[in-house]
Every structure is written in C-alpha cells, then in structure tokens.
Amino acid sequence: NVNRKPEIQEARLKLPVVAEEQVIMEAIRNNTVVIICGETGSGKTTQVPQFLYEAGWSHPDSANIDYLVNVDNPGMIGVTQPRRVATVSMAKRVADELNLSDKEVSHQIRYDATVSNKTRIKFMTDGVLLREMSQDLLLTKYSTIIIDEAHERNLNTDILIGVVSRVLKLRAELSREDRQKIKPLRVIIMSATLRVADFTENKTLFPIVPPVINVNARQFPVAIHFNKKTPLDHVGEAYKKITKIHERLPNGGILVFLTGQNEINQLCKELRKRYPALPPKATKKEIVKEEKANALESKTDSTPAGKADIEDEALELGENQVEEDFDLSSDDDDDIGEGFDDDELADVKDAPLHVLPLYSMLPTEAQLRVFEPPPEGTRLCVIATNVAETSVTIPGVRYVVDCGKSKERKYDVETGVQTFEIDWTSQASAGQRAGRAGRTGPGHCYRLFSSAVFDNEFEKFSTPEIHRMPIEGVVLSMKAMNIDNVVNFPFPTPPPRENLMKAEKLLGYLGAISTTNRHITEFGRTMSLFPITPRFAKMLIIGQQHGCLPYVIAIVSALSVGDPFIQDYHLDEDQPDTDDELESRELGNITSESVAEKERRKLVRKKYYSSQMKHVGLDPSSDILKLLNVVGAYEYAGATTKFCEDNFLRPKAMEEIRKLRRQLTNLVSSNFPEIDICLDPKMPPPNAVQLKVLRQVITAGFIDSVAIRQDVLDTGGGKGVRYKNAKNVVYRLLWTEEEAFIHPGSILYSQEPPAMLVYSELYKGGKNWLKCNTAVEAK
Ligand code: ADP
Ligand code: MG
C-alpha cells in the first residue's frame, strides 16, 4: 500500500541501504536495539523510516491485520536529528518519496510543527524529544525511535541515548505484565562512522550487545590536495580556490565548507557578483524563477523573530562580521590542474555558477534548493556549514573545498566558561567532508590548510560534546529535562562521578536545584535557558533590578571570555616582593643587564598599575567592577585597537566580550519579551545604588567562592588586625577551609584587605592565589 513515483523508486534502488533492507528488518524484529553504520548518502535517514513504515510499524490497526502480526505496534516512528535543517528537509523528502502529506510524515522543531493525529513518521530535533519525555517518559506515542547522526556525539544525542536505554527496559517490563496496554519499544541508532564502541561496549547502557549492521556504500576515490601554506583568511582563500576550479576544471558540483552564516553569505555575494547565475541564453521565465528563488533566502522562516532555538542562536549570532578584501594574487601557488589530463582542462572566465548557501537559520524552502539540479549549463556551488558534513547529502558534488574549521562549543576549564569558537575540526571530520566529493564518481578535495597543520593540530576525532562543556552546565540541562539522578545516569561516555556530585552541590548553592530533593527549581529552569555557565546565568537573572541588567551582561561577558588584561604585566606571584629583589641585587649574583631589564619591567609595571587605577573608577573594592569599567570605556572609545594598546588589553579578548554582550542582550530580549533592553555603546557608569546591587549580584553568583580573613575568624567576627595591604594576609576559603592569599594583580592587594571577599578565580601556584576579587562589604 505504498505508492511511490517511478523515478523515486528507481533512485532509491540505487541506495546501498536499500540492498540491506532484509538484513536490517530482520535485526529490528529480533532485537530491541540495532545500530546501523553507513557512509553519508547511503540512504539511512530517508530509507530506514520507510522500511519500518512499509513493514507495518505505526499502522493504526497493526494488531488486527494478519500480515502485521509480528509488528503489533501502532505508535509513531520517531526520528531524531541534531539539526533543524536536516529535521525539516528530511521530513519533506520522506513525505515526497512515500507520496504522503506533511500531516502523515511530519516534522517538529522548537517553534514549528506539522504534526497531526494522522502522523505516522515524525522527524524532530533531539531537543524536542527530550522535552517531550518530561511529559511522557515512556514515549507511549512511539513504536520505534531512530536516533540519527549518533557519531556527532552531541550532548542531546548522548543524553537521549542514555534515557532511551532506560525507557526500553521499562517498556519491556511493563509489556511483559500487560501486552495489550503497553508494547515494547524499538530503538535504532544510526551513525555515519564505524566508531560506535561507546554504545556497544558500554554494559551500563545496553547490557546485551546490540547488533551492528554495516552498510557498504560505494565510495569513489577522492584525491586530497593540501595547501602549501595555511592562510589566515579562509574565506578569501576559498574564493580563490572556487574561481580556479570553476574556470579550469571539468563539470561537477562544488561543495564548500565554511564555519557560519555570515561567512557564507559574504562568499555567496562575492561569487554571485563575479559569475552570472544563468547562461546568456536564459529565457525570461528562467530569470524570473531564479530571482524568486534567491528572494527566498532573505525571507524569514516560520520561526517567530527572536524565538529561534537557543542553540542555533548561539551558533549563528556572535559571529565575526567578515569584511574580506578578496585579494586575487595567489600566494599559495598550487597547480589546480594536478590530477587532470591536459585535454580535460579549460580556461573559461565567465561560465555561469549556481551559488547556493546552506546553514541552519536559512528558511526551509531556500535550503531545499541544494537538492534540485542546477539550471541547464550551469555549475552547482553550495557554500555550507558542517551541516553538509553528514546530515544532508547534496547530489552531484565532485569538488570539495574545506576550510578545515568549524564553530564549536568550547569550555575553559579554568574559568568554567563556555563559548562558541571557530577552531580546526578533527581529522575524522575532514575525512567526512572529503568523502562528499566521491559519491557519484572520483572526486577532488581541496584543503585550505597545509598537511603539517592537519597532522599536528587536528585532533584525531572530535571530543564528545559532553566533555567540552562545564559539567554543571550539563547537569543543569539534565535537571531541566527532569533527569534527577545524574550521578547514576547511563552516559555513553560518563564524566567522573565526583565531578557530577560537585556540580550538583554548586547548583544547590546557586539555588538552581532544591537542596533537599535535588529537583530543578523555577529559578534553575530560567537559568538553563542561557548558554553560559549556571553561576553567570544566575547573575543575569537576579541582575534585573534598578536597571542593572546591561551592567550585569557586560560583567558576565567579560568573566566568560576571561581576563582581558595582558598577563605579562601582572606581578610574578612567586616573587611579588620588591624587598627580595633588592636583597638579591645586593648579593650581586645578577648581571647588570638583568638589572636593567628589571628596571624596565618595573617601569612598565608602574604604567600598568596606573592604568589599572584609572579603571577602578567609583568603586575600588572589586576587580570585577574594574572589568566593567574597562568594558564600558572600551566601547565608549569606539572599540579601537589603540585603546587596547594604551590600556594593556588583549584586542581579541575585548572583541569577544563585545560579541558575547551582543549575543546575551539578544537572548535576554527574546526570552524575556517584557524586558526592554538594547546595547548602549555609551553606557553611563553605574550610580551608587546600582554599584551596591552589582556587588550583591556578584556575591550571589560566587556564593561558593567566599574567603574570610583568618584574623577576623580568630576574633569571632571582630575587627581583627589593621593591615596596610594584603601582602601575606591569610584568608580561609569558606567551604574547603584551605589557606589562600590575595593575588598581587588584584586591586585589593594594595589596600586594607576586606574581612570577606568572593573570588572568581582560584589560582593554585606555590600558594593558593585569589584572583578577580570583590569585597563583600562596601567601604
Ligand atoms: P544518509 O542518511 O545515509 O546520509 P540520506 O538518506 O540522507 O543518506 O540520503 C540518501 C540520498 O537521497 C542521497 O543521495 C541524497 O542526495 C538524496 N536526497 C536526500 N534528500 C533529498 C532531497 N530533498 N531531494 C533529492 N534528493 C535527496
Ligand atoms: Mg543521514
């Protein structure tokens, strides 16, 4: 009762997965968990849901039809995807292949869905399914769950696999009690690589080793060409490479990997300027069609403004605005004709090029254009993010141009801060990208970096996202999904137990989870909306009084990026003592050169300190408020490099702080529409009331990082000793009772040290040093 069009039928018979249909269905019938591995483009995402559908899963009457008796489960076939692009476009493709409507083969992403009571196959992001499970843990609406792109090891996918492993067990037990009421669930995990040991060899996850089916895709050889040099500007380099391929090399589509939306739009614009999209003999009708299609790109998607998935938002905002000068003089003098016969090479300057962008925020209709054959007589050129690495397959690609980078969630172990950064991908990812050129025939991959960079700077495999995030962020996300027992959770690659326990404790201190039952609080739920570490999220939420929010956003951004001051000028903590220096000079064991060097350093330090004092501003009791002043002054001065030079600041850090400020401001205004907030470049310094609130906000955010002066403790909270400065003054850490000292780089060092302070960094050198401090009591 499946009615496919003949051309669809013909195309799917060529897919390697279809050849394995019997094997796959046999395995699914006999096992509750099955793992399918197959090269990108082998047909996993589009075909496996159809196999299940055809075999009768999801049939409303599956229990009463004879030939469906082995299936006996009318629940939907659920398919999860890590990305929205793939969720929507794959649902549409499968609906087309089955000749069904989007009411039957539906999609659901955070703010858009076509699901109906007729839905049989449902594509959704893994985030959507996780949220759904907080209402219906047993997934009673589903007969099968297909978890796709498991090789990506996204946080959500990993957590989903863990939860689903438990649901499987529960459903199996319950159905043994009463099969009429509840039916067992089937789970299929699909991966584009063979690296699935974390799922198969993890007995806590799946006690019975699930069968792994390898789909052998026909893969043609792909010649890899490395750049001799690694250019800084990968967008400009990609442009050069594309022009060479297009003008010199034989027919075949070009697929280009860049890191994000802005880069992609910029390159599309430049290429469209250079090459016509249609051949000269194009009819008026074709021209109108092309213009209409291009207009789709700027159309807003069905996503309401400002309500995009937080994750996507974080990925797409806060991105460098690339202003490239497309320098055509090639400094990497490669021979583009390498690997081709002379008679294959051409030299055509203005052949038409059909340039299309592909990234997650692009409206669906515009995304789907990459699957259509390009207009007669033109060459297809798709400029994509790593969504084209494994999630979608673009037909007819013969050349891949890979910048070697991607935007990833990063986590700074020292500051506990997560950011989205552009960095090298892994060797495995680069291999996947290259493989895109060998689907329909032999292909070529041009890597815009040298083989030395590839060998020395690329990780072998990408680290699972769970190990790239601060653990308290992971735990908070899980609590927000109502997964309370995080310590015993069956992670595919579990983080250390004690880290999980520590994270729970911190979330308790911050008020994100109840300290009695460990459930998430309302407050914690709001915190989980922000892509920053929970303590900073807390500061953002409580910072909404007295118009303090813009300041809190600036503070959180600065703390997230990390200390922007150039470290060299900080006093060396092992010898913060000028007396010692004098002494050693008297000992005469240093040469006069090093004395001169020391004198020079002393001068620089003096200049450094006077610049620090300038930023101390109205409140000399907090390094964090000093940071706030610096951020404000930098913006006021027009965010120039000169300002950074004059003030001992790292320009890159200041630029990142700026971007994060913009991103957080956008997030706040989209999540809390009642708050009217915008980024004011001329933000006035905080007034006295605001300063007080800010100090309270900081204290609340660092409530687990309190240090008290030892002598004050000794007098039972009395006045204690009178100190001129913080040198050698002993502090006691409130929760661990360790001894610590104010770091000489702190502005609290050179004044009477406060009785109590909160620190935002603990530096463990020979001694414990407290950095980036705020006095708890105002002076
Ligand atoms: P896998 O999940 O194994 O990577 P897919 O099922 O996504 O493979 O793709 C199988 C084939 O279907 C590919 O050759 C791809 O080009 C084709 N395909 C997928 N979506 C579309 C679409 N919207 N239009 C045309 N062809 C498509
Ligand atoms: Mg797929």
Side-chain angles (χ1 to χ4, degrees):
N1 52 353
V2 171
N3 174 22
R4 295 190 186 92
K5 294 194 187 107
E7 66 271 21
I8 294 273
Q9 191 57 24
E10 196 187 320
R12 68 188 292 264
L13 287 180
K14 293 197 193 121
L15 294 171
V17 156
V18 176
E20 304 290 332
E21 177 169 0
Q22 298 311 322
V23 180
I24 291 172
M25 291 316 291
E26 187 69 20
I28 294 174
R29 244 173 253 129
N30 299 330
N31 299 274
T32 48
V33 190
V34 173
I35 297 176
I36 301 176
C37 301
E39 260 289 331
T40 306
S42 54
K44 300 182 300 296
T45 311
T46 52
Q47 306 308 318
V48 175
Q50 297 188 56
F51 297 164
L52 289 160
Y53 175 87
E54 266 190 273
W57 261 277
S58 82
H59 196 289
D61 217 11
S62 66
N64 300 322
I65 299 178
D66 270 358
Y67 67 92
L68 294 181
V69 71
N70 285 334
V71 176
D72 182 24
N73 194 331
M76 285 185 288
I77 299 159
V79 188
T80 71
Q81 295 287 327
R83 292 196 186 77
R84 302 197 296 168
V85 193
T87 310
V88 181
S89 62
M90 290 297 138
K92 183 154 188 324
R93 176 65 182 175
V94 172
D96 286 350
E97 290 200 15
L98 285 171
N99 237 331
L100 295 172
S101 76
D102 64 2
K103 296 275 158 285
E104 289 139 310
V105 180
S106 317
H107 73 252
Q108 184 176 351
I109 56 180
R110 193 155 189 191
Y111 292 101
D112 178 37
T114 58
V115 183
S116 73
N117 54 10
K118 285 213 225 102
T119 300
R120 306 275 304 270
I121 303 177
K122 172 170 159 187
F123 282 82
M124 65 207 121
T125 53
D126 34 28
V128 161
L129 187 61
L130 281 166
R131 260 178 293 249
E132 218 173 283
M133 292 181 87
S134 58
Q135 307 299 318
D136 174 20
L137 180 69
L138 286 177
L139 292 169
T140 50
K141 287 194 237 130
Y142 299 91
S143 59
T144 351
I145 295 289
I146 301 176
I147 300 176
D148 205 356
E149 311 288 339
H151 61 275
E152 282 198 20
R153 304 302 306 275
N154 286 317
L155 177 67
N156 278 350
T157 315
D158 267 19
I159 293 180
L160 194 58
I161 292 173
V163 198
V164 163
S165 77
R166 289 304 172 264
V167 177
L168 265 179
K169 211 168 121 201
L170 265 173
R171 284 257 299 245
E173 281 162 14
L174 290 171
S175 81
R176 251 176 304 207
E177 281 165 24
D178 186 353
R179 191 166 172 107
Q180 280 321 305
K181 229 171 108 198
I182 197 141
K183 323 259 162 151
L185 179 75
R186 288 286 191 283
V187 173
I188 300 154
I189 297 175
M190 305 206 289
S191 163
T193 71
L194 291 169
R195 235 182 134 231
V196 289
D198 284 348
F199 310 134
T200 53
E201 283 165 22
N202 183 334
K203 290 278 192 257
T204 344
L205 194 59
F206 302 121
I208 303 169
V209 179
V212 178
I213 298 168
N214 291 317
V215 178
N216 288 319
R218 194 164 50 134
Q219 174 73 31
F220 294 93
V222 175
I224 307 279
H225 310 269
F226 283 100
N227 258 26
K228 289 196 189 67
K229 290 188 218 140
T230 304
L232 278 178
D233 163 24
H234 59 252
V235 183
E237 187 69 14
Y239 177 84
K240 278 188 252 172
K241 197 65 80 181
I242 296 162
T243 50
K244 281 187 202 151
I245 295 171
H246 183 49
E247 292 176 8
R248 307 263 301 142
L249 300 187
N251 282 345
I254 309 174
L255 171 61
V256 186
F257 287 98
L258 295 183
T259 69
Q261 179 176 344
N262 288 337
E263 284 181 7
I264 291 172
N265 284 337
Q266 178 76 13
L267 186 56
C268 283
K269 208 172 89 197
E270 295 295 329
L271 286 168
R272 283 171 175 172
K273 210 156 68 189
R274 167 110 179 224
Y275 300 106
L278 295 170
K281 56 176 199 302
T283 61
K284 228 185 170 125
K285 210 170 126 199
E286 284 170 315
I287 296 173
V288 172
K289 188 174 162 225
E290 179 68 16
E291 278 169 0
K292 268 199 186 141
N294 282 348
L296 291 176
E297 285 172 18
S298 46
K299 227 186 77 184
T300 38
D301 207 350
S302 37
T303 318
K307 284 262 176 186
D309 266 28
I310 298 276
E311 197 75 347
D312 282 340
E313 192 100 320
L315 282 167
E316 301 291 358
L317 293 167
E319 187 181 291
N320 253 328
Q321 196 66 47
V322 246
E323 298 289 347
E324 301 302 341
D325 56 324
F326 285 84
D327 177 14
L328 292 178
S329 64
S330 176
D331 35 2
D332 202 83
D333 219 353
D334 56 338
D335 182 10
I336 196 78
E338 197 182 18
F340 290 87
D341 292 337
D342 279 350
D343 57 357
E344 282 184 288
L345 296 178
D347 205 349
V348 189
K349 288 281 173 250
D350 49 6
L353 187 65
H354 195 60
V355 182
L356 297 174
L358 183 66
Y359 50 83
S360 67
M361 301 295 274
L362 196 68
T364 317
E365 285 167 281
Q367 286 167 20
L368 291 176
R369 289 178 75 200
V370 304
F371 296 110
E372 289 163 20
E376 190 68 31
T378 71
R379 186 202 290 269
L380 179 70
C381 177
V382 177
I383 323 272
T385 56
N386 55 4
V387 64
E389 195 174 298
T390 60
S391 296
V392 296
T393 311
I394 297 151
V397 172
R398 183 167 178 193
Y399 307 99
V400 162
V401 175
D402 179 11
C403 78
K405 293 181 174 169
S406 68
K407 203 180 305 177
E408 272 202 340
R409 195 202 290 268
K410 281 271 160 74
Y411 156 48
D412 182 330
V413 188
E414 221 157 75
T415 55
V417 161
Q418 44 182 332
T419 48
F420 286 90
E421 271 177 40
I422 295 173
D423 205 347
W424 298 120
T425 62
S426 61
Q427 296 186 350
S429 283
Q432 287 290 337
R433 290 179 176 188
R436 302 306 104 243
R439 294 301 310 163
T440 39
H444 292 264
C445 172
Y446 299 89
R447 292 184 170 161
L448 306 179
F449 44 91
S450 70
S451 56
V453 167
F454 179 78
D455 291 338
N456 303 326
E457 293 182 37
F458 279 51
E459 304 275 344
K460 269 224 145 39
F461 299 99
S462 315
T463 323
E465 191 177 37
I466 197 163
H467 295 303
R468 279 186 276 120
M469 276 178 76
I471 191 77
E472 63 269 19
V474 173
V475 173
L476 185 61
S477 302
M478 293 175 72
K479 299 272 177 182
M481 298 164 195
N482 297 326
I483 301 169
D484 285 315
N485 192 349
V486 291
V487 176
N488 293 320
F489 187 80
F491 295 96
T493 45
R497 253 180 106 88
E498 61 276 16
N499 292 6
L500 288 165
M501 293 196 275
K502 248 199 245 163
E504 268 201 322
K505 211 163 157 188
L506 171 63
L507 292 174
Y509 289 147
L510 292 174
I513 61 174
S514 142
T515 41
T516 48
N517 63 13
R518 316 242 128 222
H519 292 337
I520 192 162
T521 58
E522 258 328 291
F523 189 69
R525 237 172 245 293
T526 317
M527 282 167 69
S528 71
L529 292 174
F530 293 92
I532 46 177
T533 194
R535 73 166 85 246
F536 295 158
K538 172 170 185 169
M539 289 165 65
L540 273 187
I541 298 164
I542 61 174
Q544 297 176 13
Q545 341 151 30
H546 300 286
C548 281
L549 201 51
Y551 301 114
V552 179
I553 289 176
I555 288 173
V556 165
S557 306
L559 289 173
S560 292
V561 170
D563 193 351
F565 287 99
I566 295 169
Q567 300 285 332
D568 283 2
Y569 303 107
H570 278 182
L571 276 173
D572 208 342
E573 48 262 4
D574 294 328
Q575 35 176 299
D577 214 341
T578 27
D579 296 344
D580 291 352
E581 263 176 46
L582 279 174
E583 204 173 308
S584 52
R585 212 190 301 180
E586 273 161 16
L587 285 173
N589 57 0
I590 358 175
T591 65
S592 58
E593 265 159 68
S594 68
V595 173
E597 174 59 22
K598 280 211 164 136
E599 288 301 323
R600 200 191 58 79
R601 279 184 61 104
K602 244 171 141 180
L603 264 172
V604 179
R605 262 184 216 157
K606 217 173 139 198
K607 202 171 151 225
Y608 173 77
Y609 277 107
S610 68
S611 103
Q612 295 283 298
M613 288 325 286
K614 200 169 74 202
H615 293 299
V616 164
L618 299 172
D619 194 323
S621 66
S622 167
D623 290 309
I624 294 182
L625 292 174
K626 180 193 77 186
L627 211 48
L628 172 65
N629 270 330
V630 170
V631 172
Y634 166 75
E635 199 67 50
Y636 193 88
T640 60
T641 325
K642 169 124 191 3
F643 181 88
C644 296
E645 277 167 18
D646 293 347
N647 292 280
F648 297 88
L649 292 161
R650 288 186 291 133
K652 188 157 170 286
M654 294 308 288
E655 190 50 43
E656 278 171 24
I657 293 173
R658 228 178 150 210
K659 278 190 288 182
L660 191 54
R661 262 182 87 187
R662 185 163 12 113
Q663 186 191 340
L664 290 177
T665 309
N666 287 338
L667 270 175
V668 168
S669 57
S670 61
N671 281 295
F672 305 96
E674 66 283 4
I675 297 177
D676 181 25
I677 186 170
C678 65
L679 205 63
D680 180 5
K682 304 267 135 114
M683 181 170 73
N687 61 34
V689 179
Q690 288 169 329
L691 280 174
K692 201 168 159 200
V693 174
L694 289 176
R695 213 173 310 103
Q696 285 164 359
V697 169
I698 294 168
T699 309
F702 290 98
I703 196 70
D704 60 323
S705 311
V706 178
I708 304 177
R709 236 167 65 191
Q710 182 66 53
D711 58 291
V712 174
L713 276 177
D714 292 343
T715 56
K719 277 229 168 345
V721 190
R722 280 200 73 93
Y723 291 111
K724 222 167 66 243
N725 59 38
K727 192 177 148 192
N728 296 330
V729 175
V730 180
Y731 278 82
R732 195 57 63 189
L733 304 188
L734 191 57
W735 309 109
T736 64
E737 304 201 342
E738 282 172 276
E739 191 183 75
F741 300 86
I742 292 181
H743 187 271
S746 169
I747 56 163
L748 294 185
Y749 186 75
S750 48
Q751 46 180 308
E752 189 190 349
M756 191 166 21
L757 60 80
V758 293
Y759 54 92
S760 58
E761 253 179 78
L762 182 65
Y763 177 83
K764 302 205 167 188
K767 293 174 175 175
N768 288 328
W769 293 108
L770 306 168
K771 283 183 165 181
C772 211
N773 306 308
T774 299
V776 170
E777 271 156 341
K779 295 199 178 172

